[in-house]
Amino acid sequence: MPGTVLLLAASPLGRGRLVDAAGVLPVLAAVAPAVLSGTETANVVELADPLEPQAVLTRLRAAAAAPGPLTVYITGQLQLDRKQRLPHLALARTTAATVRYTALPWHWIREELRLRSAADTALLVDLHAEAEAWSHVAERGLDSGPNAAVYGRVAPASGRRGPGEPAYMKAVATLLRSGHRPPLPALHEQALARIAESSAGRDLVLAAGGSAPRPPFAHPATRLGRPEAHAATPPGTGHAPDAMGHAPHTLAHDPHAAISAAVRAGRHGDADALAARHEAAAVRAHGPASDDALHWAEVRADLAMFAGDAVGSCRAWLAVAGVRLAAGQAVDAPAVEAAVDRAHHQWGRISDTARARELGPALAELRLRVPGRREGALENVQRQLRQLQAAAR
């Protein structure tokens, strides 16, 4: 099955640029698509210094939904937004004051990959972090979720005049130009070895699930992902987690892989039934507002979208947002904003005007509480709802 590769290189224009991210793209572009992907054939999408976070999200969402293995190469810089203090990938128009609106929230990447399996999904990252983002990642790690194998490094701002070099990604690209992609843990270690002299004791190394021996220089490791298990395991199907605290990623053991396989085969009912069993198990074990139960509710909302059921997906996202808010989560919490944004998106895709009128007031009420990041979102809902109601008279 063909693979999919997303090459994303982004950093601000002007004085805020910490790294010449786009400079690595010519080297990566010289690598054969099949080698970038590790598959016989592959589709490659390249984003160089994109302007809009929504445009990046659209490409990322399409890549995540593609069948077959997915490899995402990300080169750029991390900054924290001033309101929530969350890491974002800075884009071309990002400044310190506009991070929340012009940069890509890192948790969007985690969210878009949640239906995939780490067995066939990989992130290779070379990131430079401004001072506050560096402290955040050093203390808390960079949460990319348990649904992707993550390799790379986060480097602090160099302190030199001018942007730094994406040395890790250039090393990866140079190794791949040999025409062979070794197993990712080995590729990761070989790339680290090539930049050892300049980065030893300075970079934070990201190596989720890697088993290759560490090279003989000091790279402090950063643990990725949440410490707790991502999904409740139905009775009688328990399996020991790996060293990173994640369940083994095989079709037999990982429900996400089985669900993805069912979706790709067009068996949407089977996919939803499997997710529903895990959601029910999570609710029984931890309650409806638990992370595990909400995760599976979100998976089912996405499954409805993949099945073309915009009404069902919108309802599910509205319910997720309601549970999160009722549990005391803040109106600007990333998971709350994401749920309302997705409900809004699916509502806009409902072709049955009666169903759209039915769900519109609930969405408008949520938008009053959760305006989100996109300017005019509330006004958009109210305007469309007025049009739907006028047409019904």
Coordinates of all heavy atoms in Angstrom, one line a residue, residues 306-358:
F306 N -15.9 10.1 9.0 CA -15.4 9.2 7.9 C -16.5 8.5 7.2 O -16.3 8.2 6.0 CB -14.3 8.3 8.5 CG -13.0 8.9 8.9 CD1 -12.5 8.7 10.1 CD2 -12.4 9.7 8.0 CE1 -11.3 9.2 10.5 CE2 -11.2 10.3 8.4 CZ -10.6 10.1 9.6
A307 N -17.5 8.1 7.9 CA -18.7 7.4 7.3 C -19.6 8.4 6.6 O -20.6 7.9 6.0 CB -19.4 6.7 8.4
G308 N -19.3 9.7 6.6 CA -20.1 10.6 5.9 C -21.4 11.0 6.6 O -22.3 11.6 6.1
D309 N -21.4 10.8 7.9 CA -22.5 11.1 8.8 C -22.3 12.4 9.5 O -21.9 12.4 10.7 CB -22.8 9.9 9.8 CG -24.0 10.2 10.7 OD1 -24.7 11.2 10.4 OD2 -24.2 9.4 11.6
A310 N -22.5 13.5 8.8 CA -22.2 14.8 9.4 C -23.1 15.1 10.6 O -22.6 15.7 11.6 CB -22.3 15.9 8.4
V311 N -24.3 14.6 10.6 CA -25.2 14.9 11.7 C -24.7 14.1 12.9 O -24.7 14.7 14.0 CB -26.7 14.4 11.3 CG1 -27.6 14.4 12.5 CG2 -27.2 15.2 10.2
G312 N -24.4 12.8 12.8 CA -23.9 12.1 13.9 C -22.6 12.6 14.4 O -22.4 12.6 15.7
S313 N -21.7 13.0 13.6 CA -20.5 13.6 14.0 C -20.7 14.9 14.8 O -20.1 15.1 15.8 CB -19.5 13.8 12.8 OG -18.3 14.2 13.3
C314 N -21.5 15.7 14.3 CA -21.8 17.0 15.0 C -22.4 16.7 16.3 O -22.0 17.4 17.3 CB -22.8 17.9 14.1 SG -23.2 19.4 14.8
R315 N -23.4 15.8 16.4 CA -24.0 15.5 17.7 C -22.9 15.0 18.7 O -22.9 15.4 19.9 CB -25.1 14.4 17.5 CG -26.4 14.9 16.9 CD -27.4 13.7 17.0 NE -28.6 14.0 16.2 CZ -29.6 14.7 16.6 NH1 -29.5 15.3 17.8 NH2 -30.6 14.8 15.8
A316 N -22.1 14.1 18.2 CA -21.1 13.6 19.1 C -20.1 14.6 19.6 O -19.8 14.6 20.8 CB -20.3 12.5 18.3
W317 N -19.7 15.5 18.7 CA -18.8 16.6 19.2 C -19.5 17.5 20.1 O -18.8 18.0 21.1 CB -18.2 17.3 18.0 CG -17.1 16.6 17.3 CD1 -17.1 16.1 16.0 CD2 -15.8 16.2 17.9 NE1 -15.9 15.5 15.7 CE2 -15.1 15.5 16.9 CE3 -15.3 16.3 19.1 CZ2 -13.9 15.0 17.1 CZ3 -14.0 15.8 19.3 CH2 -13.3 15.1 18.3
L318 N -20.7 17.8 19.9 CA -21.5 18.7 20.8 C -21.5 18.0 22.2 O -21.4 18.7 23.2 CB -22.9 18.9 20.3 CG -23.0 19.9 19.1 CD1 -24.5 19.9 18.6 CD2 -22.6 21.3 19.5
A319 N -21.8 16.7 22.2 CA -21.8 16.0 23.5 C -20.5 16.0 24.2 O -20.4 16.2 25.4 CB -22.3 14.5 23.2
V320 N -19.4 15.8 23.4 CA -18.1 15.8 24.0 C -17.8 17.1 24.7 O -17.3 17.2 25.8 CB -17.0 15.4 23.0 CG1 -15.6 15.8 23.5 CG2 -17.1 14.0 22.6
A321 N -18.1 18.2 23.9 CA -17.9 19.6 24.5 C -18.7 19.8 25.7 O -18.2 20.3 26.7 CB -18.2 20.6 23.4
G322 N -19.9 19.3 25.7 CA -20.8 19.5 26.9 C -20.3 18.7 28.1 O -20.3 19.3 29.2
V323 N -19.8 17.5 27.9 CA -19.2 16.7 29.0 C -18.0 17.4 29.6 O -17.8 17.5 30.8 CB -18.9 15.3 28.6 CG1 -18.1 14.5 29.7 CG2 -20.2 14.5 28.2
R324 N -17.1 17.9 28.7 CA -15.9 18.5 29.2 C -16.2 19.8 30.0 O -15.6 20.1 31.0 CB -15.0 18.9 28.0 CG -14.4 17.7 27.3 CD -13.3 18.0 26.3 NE -12.6 16.9 25.7 CZ -11.7 16.2 26.3 NH1 -11.2 16.5 27.5 NH2 -11.1 15.2 25.7
L325 N -17.1 20.6 29.5 CA -17.5 21.8 30.2 C -18.2 21.5 31.5 O -17.9 22.1 32.6 CB -18.4 22.7 29.3 CG -17.7 23.4 28.1 CD1 -18.8 23.9 27.2 CD2 -16.8 24.4 28.6
A326 N -19.1 20.5 31.5 CA -19.7 20.1 32.8 C -18.8 19.6 33.8 O -19.0 19.7 35.0 CB -20.8 19.0 32.5
A327 N -17.6 19.0 33.3 CA -16.6 18.5 34.2 C -15.7 19.6 34.8 O -14.8 19.3 35.6 CB -15.8 17.4 33.5
G328 N -16.0 20.8 34.4 CA -15.2 22.0 34.9 C -14.0 22.4 34.0 O -13.2 23.2 34.5
Q329 N -13.9 21.8 32.8 CA -12.8 22.3 32.0 C -13.1 23.7 31.5 O -14.2 24.1 31.3 CB -12.6 21.3 30.8 CG -12.2 19.9 31.2 CD -11.8 19.1 30.0 OE1 -11.5 19.5 29.0 NE2 -11.9 17.7 30.2
A330 N -12.0 24.5 31.3 CA -12.1 25.9 31.0 C -12.6 26.0 29.5 O -12.4 25.2 28.7 CB -10.8 26.6 31.1
V331 N -13.3 27.1 29.3 CA -13.9 27.4 27.9 C -12.8 27.5 26.9 O -13.0 27.3 25.7 CB -14.8 28.6 27.9 CG1 -16.0 28.3 28.8 CG2 -14.0 29.9 28.4
D332 N -11.6 27.9 27.3 CA -10.5 28.0 26.3 C -9.5 26.9 26.4 O -8.4 26.9 25.9 CB -9.7 29.3 26.5 CG -9.1 29.5 27.9 OD1 -9.3 28.6 28.8 OD2 -8.4 30.5 28.1
A333 N -9.9 25.8 27.1 CA -9.0 24.6 27.1 C -8.9 24.0 25.7 O -9.9 24.0 25.0 CB -9.6 23.5 28.1
P334 N -7.7 23.6 25.3 CA -7.6 23.1 23.9 C -8.6 22.0 23.5 O -9.1 22.1 22.4 CB -6.2 22.6 23.9 CG -5.4 23.3 25.0 CD -6.5 23.6 26.0
A335 N -8.9 21.1 24.4 CA -9.8 20.0 24.1 C -11.2 20.5 23.9 O -12.0 20.0 23.1 CB -9.7 18.9 25.1
V336 N -11.6 21.5 24.7 CA -12.9 22.1 24.6 C -13.0 22.8 23.3 O -14.0 22.7 22.5 CB -13.2 23.0 25.8 CG1 -14.6 23.7 25.6 CG2 -13.3 22.2 27.1
E337 N -12.1 23.7 23.0 CA -12.1 24.4 21.7 C -12.1 23.5 20.5 O -12.9 23.7 19.6 CB -10.9 25.4 21.7 CG -10.9 26.6 22.6 CD -9.8 27.5 22.4 OE1 -8.7 27.1 21.8 OE2 -9.9 28.7 22.8
A338 N -11.3 22.4 20.6 CA -11.3 21.5 19.5 C -12.6 20.8 19.3 O -13.1 20.7 18.1 CB -10.2 20.5 19.7
A339 N -13.3 20.4 20.4 CA -14.6 19.8 20.2 C -15.6 20.7 19.6 O -16.4 20.3 18.7 CB -15.1 19.3 21.6
V340 N -15.7 22.0 20.0 CA -16.6 22.9 19.5 C -16.3 23.2 18.0 O -17.2 23.3 17.2 CB -16.7 24.2 20.3 CG1 -17.7 25.2 19.7 CG2 -17.1 23.9 21.8
D341 N -15.0 23.4 17.7 CA -14.6 23.7 16.3 C -15.0 22.5 15.4 O -15.5 22.8 14.3 CB -13.1 23.9 16.3 CG -12.6 25.2 16.8 OD1 -13.5 26.1 17.0 OD2 -11.4 25.3 17.1
R342 N -14.9 21.3 15.9 CA -15.2 20.2 15.0 C -16.7 20.0 14.9 O -17.2 19.7 13.8 CB -14.6 18.9 15.6 CG -13.1 18.8 15.4 CD -12.5 17.6 16.1 NE -11.1 17.3 15.6 CZ -10.1 18.0 16.0 NH1 -10.2 18.9 17.0 NH2 -8.9 17.7 15.6
A343 N -17.5 20.3 16.0 CA -18.9 20.3 15.9 C -19.4 21.4 14.8 O -20.3 21.1 14.0 CB -19.5 20.6 17.2
H344 N -18.7 22.5 14.9 CA -19.1 23.6 14.0 C -18.8 23.2 12.5 O -19.6 23.4 11.6 CB -18.2 24.9 14.3 CG -18.7 26.1 13.6 ND1 -18.3 27.4 14.1 CD2 -19.4 26.3 12.5 CE1 -18.8 28.3 13.2 NE2 -19.5 27.7 12.3
H345 N -17.6 22.6 12.3 CA -17.2 22.1 11.0 C -18.2 21.1 10.4 O -18.7 21.2 9.3 CB -15.8 21.6 11.0 CG -15.4 21.0 9.7 ND1 -15.0 21.8 8.6 CD2 -15.2 19.7 9.3 CE1 -14.7 21.1 7.6 NE2 -14.8 19.8 8.0
Q346 N -18.6 20.1 11.2 CA -19.5 19.1 10.8 C -20.9 19.7 10.6 O -21.6 19.3 9.6 CB -19.6 18.0 11.8 CG -18.3 17.1 11.8 CD -18.0 16.5 10.5 OE1 -18.8 15.8 9.9 NE2 -16.8 16.8 9.9
W347 N -21.3 20.6 11.4 CA -22.6 21.3 11.2 C -22.7 22.0 9.8 O -23.7 21.9 9.2 CB -22.9 22.3 12.3 CG -24.2 23.0 12.3 CD1 -25.4 22.4 12.5 CD2 -24.5 24.4 12.0 NE1 -26.4 23.4 12.4 CE2 -25.9 24.5 12.1 CE3 -23.7 25.4 11.7 CZ2 -26.5 25.8 11.9 CZ3 -24.2 26.7 11.5 CH2 -25.6 26.8 11.6
G348 N -21.6 22.6 9.4 CA -21.6 23.2 8.1 C -21.7 22.2 7.0 O -21.9 22.7 5.8
R349 N -21.5 21.0 7.2 CA -21.5 20.0 6.2 C -22.8 19.2 6.1 O -23.0 18.3 5.3 CB -20.4 19.0 6.4 CG -19.0 19.6 6.3 CD -17.9 18.6 6.6 NE -17.8 17.6 5.5 CZ -17.1 17.8 4.4 NH1 -16.4 18.9 4.2 NH2 -17.1 16.8 3.4
I350 N -23.8 19.6 7.0 CA -25.1 18.9 7.0 C -25.9 19.4 5.9 O -26.2 20.6 5.8 CB -25.8 19.1 8.4 CG1 -25.0 18.5 9.5 CG2 -27.2 18.5 8.3 CD1 -25.5 18.8 10.9
S351 N -26.3 18.5 5.0 CA -27.1 18.9 3.8 C -28.6 18.9 4.1 O -29.4 19.6 3.4 CB -26.9 17.9 2.7 OG -27.1 16.6 3.0
D352 N -29.1 18.2 5.1 CA -30.5 18.2 5.5 C -30.8 19.4 6.4 O -30.3 19.6 7.5 CB -30.8 16.9 6.4 CG -32.2 16.8 6.7 OD1 -32.9 17.8 6.9 OD2 -32.7 15.6 6.8
T353 N -31.5 20.4 5.8 CA -31.7 21.7 6.5 C -32.5 21.5 7.8 O -32.2 22.3 8.7 CB -32.4 22.7 5.6 OG1 -33.7 22.1 5.1 CG2 -31.6 23.0 4.3
A354 N -33.4 20.5 7.8 CA -34.1 20.3 9.1 C -33.2 19.9 10.2 O -33.3 20.4 11.3 CB -35.2 19.3 8.9
R355 N -32.3 19.0 9.9 CA -31.3 18.5 10.9 C -30.4 19.7 11.3 O -30.0 19.8 12.5 CB -30.5 17.4 10.4 CG -31.3 16.1 10.2 CD -31.8 15.5 11.5 NE -32.4 14.3 11.4 CZ -31.8 13.1 11.4 NH1 -30.5 13.0 11.6 NH2 -32.5 12.0 11.3
A356 N -30.0 20.5 10.3 CA -29.1 21.6 10.6 C -29.8 22.6 11.5 O -29.2 23.1 12.5 CB -28.7 22.3 9.3
R357 N -31.1 22.9 11.3 CA -31.9 23.8 12.2 C -32.0 23.2 13.6 O -31.9 23.9 14.6 CB -33.3 24.0 11.6 CG -33.4 25.0 10.5 CD -34.8 25.5 10.3 NE -35.7 24.4 10.0 CZ -35.9 23.9 8.7 NH1 -35.3 24.5 7.7 NH2 -36.7 22.9 8.5
E358 N -32.1 21.9 13.6 CA -32.3 21.2 14.9 C -31.0 21.4 15.8 O -31.1 21.6 17.0 CB -32.6 19.7 14.7 CG -32.6 18.9 16.0 CD -32.7 17.4 15.7 OE1 -33.0 17.0 14.5 OE2 -32.4 16.6 16.6

